Amino acid sequence: MAKGTVYRSGHEWPSARRLRGKFRHAAFVALAGLLPPLLGLPVLSWQVRQAIEAEAAGIHEFVATRIAAIFTHANNAAGEVTSLVGSSCASAGLGLRLGVTAHPFVRSLNLAENGRIYCSSLEGSVDYAEEAEAYADGRLRLMPGNQVTPSRALVVYRQATQSGSVLVGIDGQHLFDVLSLGVSEFTVQVGIKGNWVGPKGVVTAALDGTGEAVASFMESTDYPFAVGVAYDKGRIWQNLATEYWPSWLLLALLGVLSGYAVHRFASRHSSLAAELQRAVEADEFVPFYQPIVLAESGKPAGAEVLVRWMHPSEGLIPPNQFIPLAERTGLIVPMTYRLMEQVKRDLSSQLSRLPARFHIGFNICAAHCKSMELLERCRDFLEPFPPDSVVMFVELTEREAIPATPLTDELFIQLDRIGVQVALDDFGTGNSSLDYLQRFTVNALKIDQSFVAKAGAESLSSHILDIVADLAGRLKLTLIAEGVETAAQRDYLEKLGVDYMQGYLFGRPVPFNNFASVHLDQPAKPIMPKQVESA
Ligand code: C2E
Ligand code: CA
Ligand code: CA
């Protein structure tokens, strides 16, 4: 395979991807910019509605008091003539007419007996049906008009007496005047027994028949009538625009700020990703080797490859600062394959110095498991090594779970066939470890350093350590302990039956030359001239 070509063509950022990235960037910025006004809108409109409703309640109070006052006058007028009920119309007529003049708002006073109106201050002797059942609570009636003023709404106040009733006619105009008092933004209506009348004097059957929103509705406690205050729904928007512009200004400012913040963040993210991309191509990622030793003898058995970024200006950057982004952007894939190439070169240059079955571990994540390329890469890696000289391990982490798909199943079956060993990294810290154990042919467990740190101590971690060792024994899995720092930990782990160990006690991750000079057999050196001189 021509070095570099596949991952260059496969992982470079084509312009379509860049375009998509730009579009996504713009969409995020726009969303962040619009978020404050969008969130502010319901809050502000709630405020506007509250303000309108408070105003409506004030109007309501004002109107209801005045209308009740009109009915009180009617009530007083009726009270003064109740004694006339039953008297003949001829004798009662004058009293009724005096009553009308003595009380404001009263247009007529009428007497009824046995369900018939028999005497009226306007017409003298009459004979109309009283229709007592048409009165709300037997006391109030709203009529679109009557025989005297057929086109003008009329309110009748009724006061029952022992033998009949007094009916007080009130000109609807008095009510309409109250309803229209200085409240042009609201429609105020008064309702009596399901009939509603507004300032224009038109009687309707429902309060909200106009399609307006009802801001306030209340039944009077003194008389059987209700007052409803409604407003045009468009008024909320109107008020939002005219009265709340300082709030809008503030929200717009917040929108600009949050859009800018997202723009900065995303630019930094994408420039970091671009920087990572550049570094992959410039081969700035180099493999460091940390020794893995045999637990029994402490002799070197292999190494784990841990990447380092040799940044031209920043110097050596540890993996935790770029691996997460590399994984998210998928750049981890070409990065790992370049490391494999490098490691292949390193190991094949010193093949004679490697202990038999040299164990070499690579860290693999979910992004590598999206195609069969990993299989090709592993085959390619193993190709120059004679059988049993090098054993390749892929260490699976759980930072991002490897999905269970037919492709991943096939990938791991094939890896097993070509002799690649699978180790579960950081075993015991994630929650899919046991799932992986079931799904893949796993060969080894790497006990996470957090458990190793507590080795021998009376703690939950040390119990987990014991259980993992037991599990590995039962499943016949190779057990590797990582993060071994002290001799006490080493002794404890050895007794536990751990097969391999890795940790600062045996060596830190170092470049290949350092690794080879410390951990591999020394090459058979020819006698140097200098040594001859000094001898
Ligand atoms: P990891 O795979 O669990 O690797 C072991 C980490 O523990 C390494 O950190 C190693 O330097 C550190 N370590 C080893 N012995 C000891 C010890 O005795 N004490 C302590 N305190 N730490 C010890 P490093 O090199 O910083 O790597 C961190 C992580 O970054 C790795 O954890 C691995 O998950 C990830 N990583 C490193 N290289 C690669 C890579 O090439 N590819 C991928 N996908 N991930 C990598
Ligand atoms: Ca690892
Ligand atoms: Ca680990």
Side-chain angles (χ1 to χ4, degrees):
M1 184 181 308
K3 273 175 205 161
T5 48
V6 169
Y7 40 74
R8 266 177 215 277
S9 63
H11 299 285
E12 233 162 50
W13 288 24
S15 55
R17 185 164 161 192
R18 203 166 295 149
L19 210 67
R20 220 170 31 234
K22 279 205 166 128
F23 179 75
R24 213 174 24 218
H25 178 105
F28 275 133
V29 171
L31 193 72
L34 286 175
L35 214 58
L38 283 181
L39 291 179
L41 182 64
V43 178
L44 287 185
S45 50
W46 177 80
Q47 266 186 353
V48 170
R49 209 171 359 223
Q50 290 292 102
I52 290 179
E53 280 170 16
E55 201 184 337
I59 290 165
H60 188 218
E61 178 81 32
F62 173 86
V63 169
T65 319
R66 261 148 200 83
I67 291 177
I70 294 174
F71 294 146
T72 301
H73 283 294
N75 177 54
N76 293 345
E80 283 173 18
V81 296
T82 43
S83 58
L84 299 179
V85 176
S87 314
S88 74
C89 194
S91 63
L94 182 65
L96 292 183
R97 282 192 293 279
L98 279 176
V100 170
T101 31
H103 293 277
F105 309 117
V106 175
R107 195 171 81 178
S108 71
L109 280 169
N110 310 272
L111 302 177
E113 205 171 27
N114 305 321
R116 307 295 300 176
I117 303 170
Y118 71 92
C119 186
S120 159
S121 62
L122 282 174
E123 299 169 86
S125 275
V126 291
D127 182 27
Y128 303 128
E130 184 195 4
E131 297 172 7
E133 68 291 341
Y135 288 74
D137 198 20
R139 297 166 72 199
L140 267 184
R141 183 178 185 186
L142 175 66
M143 297 168 77
N146 69 352
Q147 291 87 342
V148 185
T149 51
S151 58
R152 191 134 122 222
L154 171 95
V155 179
V156 185
Y157 180 81
R158 178 174 177 272
Q159 185 163 325
T161 66
Q162 271 179 348
S163 57
S165 67
V166 177
L167 303 172
V168 186
I170 303 165
D171 193 328
Q173 192 59 48
H174 298 301
L175 257 72
F176 314 149
D177 289 348
V178 174
L179 297 181
S180 59
L181 275 178
V183 285
S184 58
E185 295 101 342
F186 292 97
T187 312
V188 188
Q189 299 189 58
V190 64
I192 296 168
K193 209 171 183 182
N195 283 329
W196 290 89
V197 65
K200 294 201 183 95
V202 182
V203 177
T204 56
L207 170 60
D208 56 359
T210 52
E212 294 184 319
V214 177
S216 179
F217 172 84
M218 206 159 72
E219 306 246 359
S220 161
T221 45
D222 301 328
Y223 300 98
F225 74 94
V227 171
V229 183
Y231 61 96
D232 183 0
K233 282 175 189 151
R235 218 185 126 200
I236 293 188
W237 294 105
Q238 216 177 345
N239 287 15
L240 272 176
T242 54
E243 291 172 25
Y244 282 75
W245 62 266
S247 306
W248 286 117
L249 208 66
L250 194 73
L251 288 172
L253 203 71
L254 276 176
V256 170
L257 283 179
S258 80
Y260 180 69
V262 166
H263 164 73
R264 283 296 298 267
F265 180 80
S267 307
R268 206 176 141 252
H269 186 278
S270 70
S271 69
L272 262 176
E275 174 66 2
L276 221 55
Q277 165 79 14
R278 182 201 59 73
V280 170
E281 278 161 16
D283 264 332
E284 287 174 14
F285 295 101
V286 295
F288 270 41
Y289 298 75
Q290 185 177 29
I292 294 174
V293 303
L294 275 165
E296 286 175 355
S297 58
K299 285 198 177 135
E304 175 177 1
V305 176
L306 293 160
V307 69
R308 298 290 181 265
W309 185 353
M310 294 287 200
H311 196 278
S313 57
E314 305 288 319
L316 200 77
I317 303 178
N320 57 358
Q321 291 186 22
F322 59 87
I323 289 287
L325 183 63
E327 287 185 350
R328 275 205 302 281
T329 54
L331 283 167
I332 190 73
V333 176
M335 187 188 289
T336 305
Y337 297 152
R338 290 202 165 205
L339 285 179
M340 284 185 182
E341 293 289 342
Q342 181 63 47
V343 173
K344 183 166 76 169
R345 279 197 295 275
D346 287 344
L347 295 188
S348 35
S349 75
Q350 302 295 328
L351 199 54
S352 60
R353 295 171 64 192
L354 302 182
R357 294 184 61 76
F358 186 78
H359 172 151
I360 186 85
F362 288 94
N363 290 287
I364 295 298
C365 62
H368 296 97
C369 303
K370 289 183 179 152
S371 77
M372 297 299 277
E373 189 182 1
L374 178 64
L375 177 72
E376 290 314 310
R377 293 292 174 172
C378 291
R379 195 175 273 147
D380 198 47
F381 175 83
L382 289 169
E383 195 242 350
F385 302 111
D388 280 344
S389 61
V390 167
V391 181
M392 186 185 200
F393 273 78
V394 289
E395 301 186 359
L396 306 183
T397 45
E398 298 182 43
R399 269 192 295 269
E400 230 183 306
I402 298 171
T405 62
L407 185 125
T408 51
D409 289 347
E410 180 63 17
L411 176 66
F412 283 94
I413 289 171
Q414 295 295 337
L415 284 173
D416 185 49
R417 287 219 176 117
I418 64 166
V420 172
Q421 307 277 296
V422 172
L424 299 187
D425 210 350
D426 308 327
F427 191 79
T429 57
N431 42 29
S432 42
S433 336
L434 295 176
D435 181 40
Y436 284 3
L437 264 183
Q438 277 193 316
R439 278 172 43 210
F440 309 132
T441 317
V442 173
N443 308 93
L445 303 183
K446 288 193 86 169
I447 307 174
D448 189 63
Q449 41 187 284
S450 59
F451 301 121
V452 170
K454 303 272 172 60
E458 249 325 295
S459 68
L460 180 66
S461 297
S462 82
H463 291 313
I464 293 177
L465 203 62
D466 300 349
I467 292 165
V468 172
D470 185 52
L471 180 73
R474 282 168 198 263
L475 298 180
K476 308 220 170 359
L477 299 174
T478 303
L479 197 56
I480 306 164
E482 57 180 5
V484 183
E485 292 182 346
T486 66
Q489 287 166 356
R490 177 196 59 202
D491 295 345
Y492 182 87
L493 291 162
E494 205 222 309
K495 277 202 205 89
L496 207 60
V498 165
D499 304 292
Y500 296 95
M501 295 192 207
Q502 178 184 352
Y504 294 166
L505 183 66
F506 312 103
R508 293 186 176 242
V510 286
F512 186 70
N513 286 344
N514 303 35
F515 175 80
S517 62
V518 178
H519 301 285
L520 298 185
D521 290 340
Q522 290 310 306
K525 278 191 232 164
I527 296 172
M528 304 298 281
K530 223 179 181 176
Q531 286 173 302
V532 175
E533 265 166 40
S534 61

